[in-house]
Amino acid sequence: MEAELEKLSLIVSSYDIETLKKLGGVEGVASRLRVSLNIGVETSDVPSRQNVYGSNRYTEKPFKSFWTFLWEALRDITLIILMVCAVVSIGVGLTTEGWPKGTYDGLGILLSIFLVVVVTAISDYRQSLQFRDLDREKKKILIEVTRDGSRQKIPIYDLVVGDVVHLSIGDLVPADGIFLSGYSLLIDQSSMSGESVPISIHEGRPFLLSGTKVQDGSAKMLVTTVGMKTEWGKLMERLADGVEDETPLQVKLSGVAALIGKIGLAFALLTFMVLAVRFLVEKVLRHELKRWSSNDAMTLLNYFVTAVTIIVVAVPEGLPLAVTLSLAFAMKKLMDNKALVRHLSACETMGSATCICTDKTGTLTTNRMVVNKIWICEKTKKVETDARGDAIALNIPENELTLLLQAIFHNTGAEVVKNERGKKSILGTPTESAILEYGLLLGGDIDKQRRDCKLLKVEPFNSEKKKMSVLIALPGGNNRAFCKGAAEIVFKMCDRFIDLNGEIVHLTKYRTRYIMDVINEFTSEALRTLCLAYKDIEDGDEKDNIPDSGYTLIAVVGIKDPVRPGVRNAVKTCLAAGITVRMVTGDNIKTAKAIAKECGILTADGLAIEGPEFRNKTLDEMRHIIPRVQVIARSSPMDKLVLVDNLRGMFNEIVAVTGDGTNDAPALHEADIGFAMGIAGTEVAKESADIIVLDDNFSTIVNVAKWGRSVYINIQKFVQFQLTVCVVALMINFITACISGSAPFTAVQLLWVNLIMDTLGAIALATEPPHEGLMNRPPVGREVSLISMTMWRNIIGQSIFQLAILLVFSFTGKQILRLEGSDATILLNTFIFNTFVFCQVFNEINCRDMEKINVFRGIFGSWIFLGVITSSVVFQFIIVEFLGTFASTIPLSWELWLLSVLIGAASLLVAVILKLIPVEHKNTKHHDGYDLLPTGPELA
């Protein structure tokens, strides 16, 4: 069996048509695989086929364990230096002070390092778990197969050798296989061969390779190889998994972190030099320069440990961590809200989006289409159903009804399928399904129609032609062509129509105008309007070709697709947030305008334009009209691409684009953020997109914008918090070292502060959920500095307050607090350490809102933030009261605890005063001339 499978795999991969013919063609291969091409694989055979032929899965990169993350966290160079110093400290301590007292300082440092490493590893491990879950969601693809004699959708991983797969435009070929039947199948093999020209697949060239894309047409294929045995699987085996690039914000923050790290290194060296020089000067003054004891060595080692710890505190490794945490949190929440983020940077970029170019069908509307009106035999009839769901008789003459049903049942891309219980359902696009369902409601028998006539040729619908055509052989021997598509396109191909009496009559100018009025009436009611037409082909005409003209109009059909609930509010939210919404649709301009007005997109001074007119404009004309364009109707995918290019190039907009078709892939790729539709979208569109909207809903896109803004603002909050701690920690150590010759905080205390401000601070501030106020401010521009003037005001103000308090207590604390006795110094240092930590705890609360005075709004909705604050306070209490041996602290009285908390809480009052100080805002205008939204009390 293995040899047989290898042979089949080789035939397909080497395009060996001669060997295929020797095996009896595709029927011979099916026979060897023990499968019927009509019935497909039986569900009961699937497990055995997976055992014999393998499953349709690719080898994945091994997942990193928790211990790997722990090891990576331990490899931080500054922590390694601290561990070496801790071991030396234990060695020196044992010789000078003996066991166990000599080990306390060193063990304290080692325990602190262990705590930092474990918390960092747990944080990183949890993020990786989230990304793994999201990666699995990305790979969930459904494909259509024939199994047990019926057409059904299955996950791509459940595909087995012998399955009969149905392919249509935009699908990824899910495995290697052989073409069975189909029409106009064009395959893009660039992912395999690098060849950009699509390849036509037919009986003469029937081989299909996994990982290639269907560019046009439709077909059925027989699966011959799956998983790692396919050509794509072998290619994947040779390629290492790519690592996702850093997002723009991560790159920006890495630069900020490197700069702060260098400043911290300079301060650490200065602090060590000041302490060491003072120590040496004192020895010189005491004439002890030539007499060195182990205590002197221990003192110098402690100075060095303090300097290294300052570097640990100063290097803000929490900055890039905060971005990853915030993005991971946002991605998880968006997944719960029907948005699958494929690229991390998209979530972040969406927060700065200034424009959304959206499709209409399925995004602004429900995509649940039904035939609402029909014009046939010169009469407009509203489609109504009875209690059982059957169409109420429309009194269509029998001949015309037969012709209408032929046009519906033969010229369709949808299929009627039965499930295991025999219940009928329709598979296909919403438009195709609506028309086919209408044919069934009229009492038509699709199976009988298809038995009586033979399908000769199909030209599938695509977004360029906006029509679908078929050629069939009638029972009498003549051929008949049917055409269906956009009303104005198909109507131009007609020169006759069926009148009130069922007669075929020529279209005069008057009759043409009359039918155009009917089409306009349908479109003005926001109906998607299609024409159905036919042409009998006599012997002698180009009998085997589908004609482009000379058709007879059968009917005009109006399909209703209601606007989604909540879309109007979502559009309103976008406009309030400074995001322009533009609708780009293939629909008639009147239908497009009606829907755009209903959604609140088209305003009185807005412009609606047709695709052909738009694409023929000069660059100067485009520069003039694009700011006013709100609707592009009858657009092609190229129009969408031109719009995106010009919005980004001419106006420096940050553009989000929605797309569902294969031809939308260039626009999705070119835009700053590409949204593919999860339901209506093709696999090619999804592959080109940054975010997949799982429910195809415009409100979900607005939700992504809100979360994107939340990511940006959360990072700003954390940067403000971390820079304040950093500035205070560096300055207090340096100033006291210069003046008194000793640093106020020990290595263990600084490591605890580092844990609060880095990992715990990132977890608290980077995971704050968004609030509605975020959508009442303009988007953040591309070139805007991450650290705003408002942030600098808060950082400088809080730093001055904290430094003033801590320096006053450092030099006059004993007098202020009336501390006496042998433990007065350690008691004062413990109080200063405790006060410093509480200043950071309350400043963390301040950072929840950088501009508004009420920082407690929504705090009980952010349980992660409350958990981190509570944990920080509890651990601080344990460190001061019970871990003094390691942390160089002693228990404080309740009065000193209360004073520490009150001084920390005073930073809330300082924040209120700072927020009353006005900050200059540049007088910026939006690209279209409107002033940006005002700042003030109502600003989020």
Side-chain angles (χ1 to χ4, degrees):
M1 188 59 72
E2 190 70 31
E4 187 78 17
L5 199 59
E6 284 294 327
K7 187 177 179 182
L8 273 177
S9 176
L10 192 62
I11 289 169
V12 174
S13 62
S14 59
Y15 302 100
D16 190 351
I17 191 75
E18 294 304 319
T19 307
L20 180 64
K21 285 177 181 173
K22 286 176 189 173
L23 291 174
V26 71
E27 290 82 7
V29 172
S31 173
R32 284 168 180 261
L33 295 174
R34 295 191 298 279
V35 67
S36 162
L37 295 177
N38 294 322
I39 296 171
V41 169
E42 291 181 8
T43 306
S44 57
D45 287 347
V46 170
S48 62
R49 284 179 180 272
Q50 285 178 332
N51 288 334
V52 174
Y53 302 116
S55 64
N56 196 35
R57 289 178 182 271
Y58 301 118
T59 304
E60 293 183 0
K61 192 178 178 183
F63 183 66
K64 278 162 64 171
S65 68
F66 171 72
W67 304 109
T68 309
F69 286 103
L70 201 67
W71 173 243
E72 286 176 358
L74 266 170
R75 286 162 63 189
D76 183 283
I77 188 69
T78 49
L79 292 182
I80 290 169
I81 294 169
L82 277 179
M83 283 187 274
V84 171
C85 292
V87 171
V88 173
S89 173
I90 291 170
V92 175
L94 284 172
T95 57
T96 56
E97 298 178 64
W99 174 270
K101 197 177 179 185
T103 62
Y104 290 158
D105 283 351
L107 283 177
I109 294 169
L110 288 176
L111 279 171
S112 301
I113 291 169
F114 175 74
L115 188 61
V116 169
V117 166
V118 168
V119 172
T120 305
I122 290 170
S123 172
D124 290 345
Y125 181 64
R126 282 180 58 79
Q127 284 174 58
S128 71
L129 287 177
Q130 285 188 353
F131 289 134
R132 184 178 65 172
D133 293 343
L134 288 163
D135 196 50
R136 283 177 180 164
E137 284 295 329
K138 288 181 202 174
K139 293 173 182 173
K140 281 185 182 175
I141 299 172
L142 292 176
I143 51 167
E144 284 189 20
V145 297
T146 298
R147 277 195 184 171
D148 301 321
S150 66
R151 193 162 158 177
Q152 52 190 271
K153 287 187 177 182
I154 63 164
I156 194 169
Y157 294 135
D158 291 350
L159 198 70
V160 292
V161 169
D163 262 323
V164 175
V165 177
H166 298 260
L167 298 173
S168 55
I169 296 176
D171 285 347
L172 288 177
V173 178
D176 289 357
I178 304 170
F179 174 87
L180 286 176
S181 61
Y183 307 96
S184 313
L185 187 65
L186 280 179
I187 295 289
D188 173 8
Q189 288 195 337
S190 57
S191 58
M192 293 293 293
S193 64
E195 185 60 53
S196 58
V197 179
I199 293 161
S200 177
I201 302 293
H202 45 79
E203 285 84 355
R205 185 179 179 148
F207 304 111
L208 291 150
L209 298 179
S210 170
T212 57
K213 301 161 190 171
V214 181
Q215 190 161 315
D216 203 355
S218 59
K220 289 197 289 185
M221 69 173 270
L222 175 69
V223 175
T224 56
T225 323
V226 293
M228 293 307 291
K229 291 171 184 169
T230 64
E231 286 304 296
W232 183 253
K234 291 169 188 171
L235 182 66
M236 287 294 100
E237 202 169 23
R238 292 194 294 268
L239 295 175
D241 268 11
V243 179
E244 178 137 13
D245 292 337
E246 282 190 316
T247 73
L249 202 52
Q250 282 173 323
V251 172
K252 199 182 278 188
L253 282 175
S254 295
V256 172
L259 179 65
I260 296 168
K262 286 173 186 173
I263 294 168
L265 179 63
F267 268 92
L269 285 170
L270 279 170
T271 305
F272 177 69
M273 285 167 64
V274 167
L275 289 170
V277 167
R278 278 186 66 109
F279 177 75
L280 290 171
V281 168
E282 284 173 6
K283 280 187 80 69
V284 168
L285 292 174
R286 292 197 306 269
H287 306 291
E288 295 176 357
L289 192 59
K290 292 182 180 179
R291 289 199 299 275
W292 287 81
S293 66
S294 55
N295 281 335
D296 292 336
M298 197 69 177
T299 303
L300 283 173
L301 181 66
N302 283 336
Y303 290 164
F304 181 70
V305 169
T306 301
V308 174
T309 312
I310 287 171
I311 297 171
V312 173
V313 174
V315 175
E317 63 269 18
L319 286 179
L321 168 72
V323 183
T324 316
L325 261 175
S326 192
L327 287 169
F329 182 70
M331 285 170 76
K332 183 76 176 71
K333 291 294 181 184
L334 284 170
M335 186 69 219
D336 297 339
N337 288 291
K338 304 294 182 187
L340 171 59
V341 180
R342 294 183 75 248
H343 300 132
L344 266 181
S345 57
C347 185
E348 175 189 303
T349 311
M350 192 59 200
S352 303
T354 57
C355 171
I356 300 173
C357 299
T358 176
D359 289 332
K360 176 187 78 70
T361 306
T363 309
L364 299 172
T365 59
T366 60
N367 215 15
R368 288 194 292 273
M369 299 194 184
V370 289
V371 176
N372 182 263
K373 278 187 174 181
I374 184 167
W375 177 90
I376 188 167
C377 298
E378 297 191 88
K379 286 185 180 176
T380 300
K381 304 166 190 285
K382 188 167 174 62
V383 177
E384 294 173 346
T385 55
D386 59 22
R388 291 182 304 171
D390 295 327
I392 295 170
L394 297 177
N395 298 320
I396 301 171
E398 191 175 339
N399 289 341
E400 284 65 45
L401 181 60
T402 303
L403 204 54
L404 177 64
L405 292 175
Q406 273 187 355
I408 290 172
F409 291 146
H410 291 295
N411 190 18
T412 181
E415 288 282 339
V416 179
V417 297
K418 289 181 181 177
N419 61 16
E420 305 83 44
R421 296 186 295 278
K423 188 180 178 183
K424 285 184 179 179
S425 60
I426 297 172
L427 284 178
T429 65
T431 305
E432 294 279 16
S433 300
I435 295 173
L436 186 55
E437 185 178 29
Y438 177 61
L440 296 172
L441 288 173
L442 289 172
D445 185 340
I446 188 169
D447 294 327
K448 183 177 183 303
Q449 286 277 0
R450 291 185 172 178
R451 276 197 307 270
D452 292 345
C453 305
K454 184 185 176 186
L455 193 61
L456 302 175
K457 200 170 185 181
V458 177
E459 285 181 0
F461 178 89
N462 71 33
S463 53
E464 289 288 341
K465 296 179 290 190
K466 301 194 188 302
K467 64 183 175 69
M468 175 181 180
S469 308
V470 296
L471 186 66
I472 64 167
L474 297 170
N478 283 343
N479 290 355
R480 178 174 284 170
F482 288 103
C483 185
K484 170 189 71 188
E488 65 273 28
I489 288 171
V490 175
F491 188 47
K492 281 179 186 172
M493 298 164 63
C494 299
D495 55 17
R496 289 174 287 185
F497 79 106
I498 301 169
D499 72 1
L500 190 63
N501 303 313
E503 300 290 328
I504 295 171
V505 294
H506 282 278
L507 280 166
T508 62
K509 279 187 179 179
Y510 166 75
R511 286 167 175 161
T512 300
R513 199 178 309 117
Y514 160 62
I515 295 170
M516 281 306 299
D517 286 343
V518 171
I519 291 170
N520 289 336
E521 182 195 326
F522 280 21
T523 56
S524 64
E525 294 173 23
L527 298 179
R528 170 170 277 197
T529 311
L530 297 101
C531 283
L532 308 181
Y534 82 101
K535 181 179 182 179
D536 282 325
I537 300 171
E538 306 293 334
D539 289 335
D541 288 355
E542 292 187 9
K543 193 172 178 181
D544 296 328
N545 289 331
I546 298 174
D548 291 325
S549 61
Y551 282 86
T552 300
L553 182 67
I554 303 169
V556 179
V557 177
I559 298 174
K560 189 158 187 67
D561 185 13
V563 170
R564 283 182 183 272
V567 161
R568 190 174 180 87
N569 285 338
V571 171
K572 195 175 176 183
T573 301
C574 283
L575 297 176
I579 303 170
T580 308
V581 182
R582 293 178 168 92
M583 188 171 93
V584 185
T585 176
D587 265 348
N588 176 294
I589 193 160
K590 291 193 175 177
T591 307
K593 284 167 80 171
I595 293 285
K597 282 176 183 172
E598 195 177 338
C599 295
I601 292 171
L602 187 60
T603 57
D605 57 345
L607 178 66
I609 190 170
E610 289 195 321
E613 185 187 346
F614 174 75
R615 76 181 76 114
N616 290 325
K617 296 280 185 190
T618 65
L619 283 176
D620 281 342
E621 287 172 328
M622 281 195 179
R623 190 175 283 108
H624 180 69
I625 67 161
I626 281 177
R628 288 182 55 234
V629 168
Q630 291 172 341
V631 176
I632 300 180
R634 280 288 169 247
S635 70
S636 71
M638 195 48 63
D639 298 328
K640 195 184 281 186
L641 182 59
V642 169
L643 178 65
V644 170
D645 278 343
N646 286 323
L647 281 167
R648 296 181 75 222
M650 291 180 182
F651 305 103
N652 202 29
E653 295 255 23
I654 297 173
V655 185
V657 164
T658 72
D660 51 19
T662 305
N663 292 340
D664 287 325
L668 289 169
H669 188 265
E670 187 63 28
D672 294 283
I673 315 103
F675 286 91
M677 300 299 109
I679 300 167
T682 63
E683 290 309 319
V684 174
K686 291 175 189 176
E687 206 177 55
S688 302
D690 302 296
I691 298 170
I692 298 171
V693 183
L694 300 175
D695 61 354
D696 291 14
N697 193 339
F698 183 77
S699 300
T700 303
I701 297 167
V702 179
N703 204 27
V704 175
K706 187 160 72 174
W707 274 98
R709 291 186 174 200
S710 177
V711 167
Y712 192 87
I713 206 88
N714 284 350
I715 300 310
Q716 284 190 312
K717 292 174 190 176
F718 177 67
V719 168
Q720 178 179 304
F721 170 68
Q722 183 151 49
L723 286 182
T724 307
V725 187
C726 215
V727 166
V728 175
L730 290 177
M731 293 304 294
I732 192 79
N733 272 292
F734 179 68
I735 293 168
T736 51
C738 289
I739 295 171
S740 68
S742 63
F745 303 134
T746 66
V748 174
Q749 290 169 357
L750 282 173
L751 282 169
W752 168 234
V753 170
N754 180 63
L755 188 65
I756 290 177
M757 78 177 202
D758 262 357
T759 310
L760 294 180
I763 291 169
L765 291 168
T767 56
E768 283 263 89
H771 51 82
E772 292 306 319
L774 288 174
M775 298 304 278
N776 290 328
R777 55 169 64 189
V780 178
R782 288 181 199 270
E783 306 304 324
V784 173
S785 171
L786 179 70
I787 306 174
S788 65
M789 294 300 292
T790 303
M791 290 167 68
W792 280 122
R793 176 196 67 192
N794 297 340
I795 292 165
I796 294 166
Q798 288 289 348
S799 298
I800 290 170
F801 163 71
Q802 290 185 26
L803 278 170
I805 291 290
L806 296 174
L807 287 172
V808 165
F809 277 107
S810 290
F811 298 114
T812 59
K814 288 179 185 177
Q815 293 88 333
I816 294 170
L817 300 173
R818 295 174 186 171
L819 300 177
E820 294 172 350
S822 58
D823 60 354
T825 302
I826 192 169
L827 194 62
L828 177 63
N829 285 342
T830 302
F831 172 77
I832 291 170
F833 167 58
N834 203 40
T835 304
F836 177 62
V837 168
F838 273 100
C839 281
Q840 309 326 316
V841 169
F842 283 100
N843 194 36
E844 203 164 346
I845 297 170
N846 278 330
C847 290
R848 289 191 72 243
D849 203 310
M850 294 179 290
E851 295 188 33
K852 278 199 166 184
I853 289 169
N854 181 10
V855 292
F856 294 98
R857 183 184 62 174
I859 195 167
F860 293 108
S862 182
W863 60 269
I864 296 176
F865 183 88
L866 287 174
V868 168
I869 292 292
T870 306
S871 304
S872 301
V873 172
V874 168
F875 272 110
Q876 178 65 15
F877 180 78
I878 292 168
I879 285 169
V880 170
E881 296 295 318
F882 304 109
L883 298 178
T885 309
F886 300 107
S888 306
T889 59
I890 59 171
L892 298 175
S893 64
W894 71 265
E895 292 95 344
L896 289 178
W897 268 104
L898 182 62
L899 185 58
S900 290
V901 173
L902 287 174
I903 292 170
S907 68
L908 295 172
L909 293 173
V910 172
V912 171
I913 295 164
L914 289 171
K915 286 170 187 177
L916 294 174
I917 300 169
V919 175
E920 264 189 66
H921 288 275
K922 288 178 185 175
N923 186 23
T924 321
K925 281 185 180 278
H926 204 238
H927 74 87
D928 52 13
Y930 292 113
D931 284 316
L932 288 178
L933 297 167
T935 57
E938 290 309 308
L939 187 62

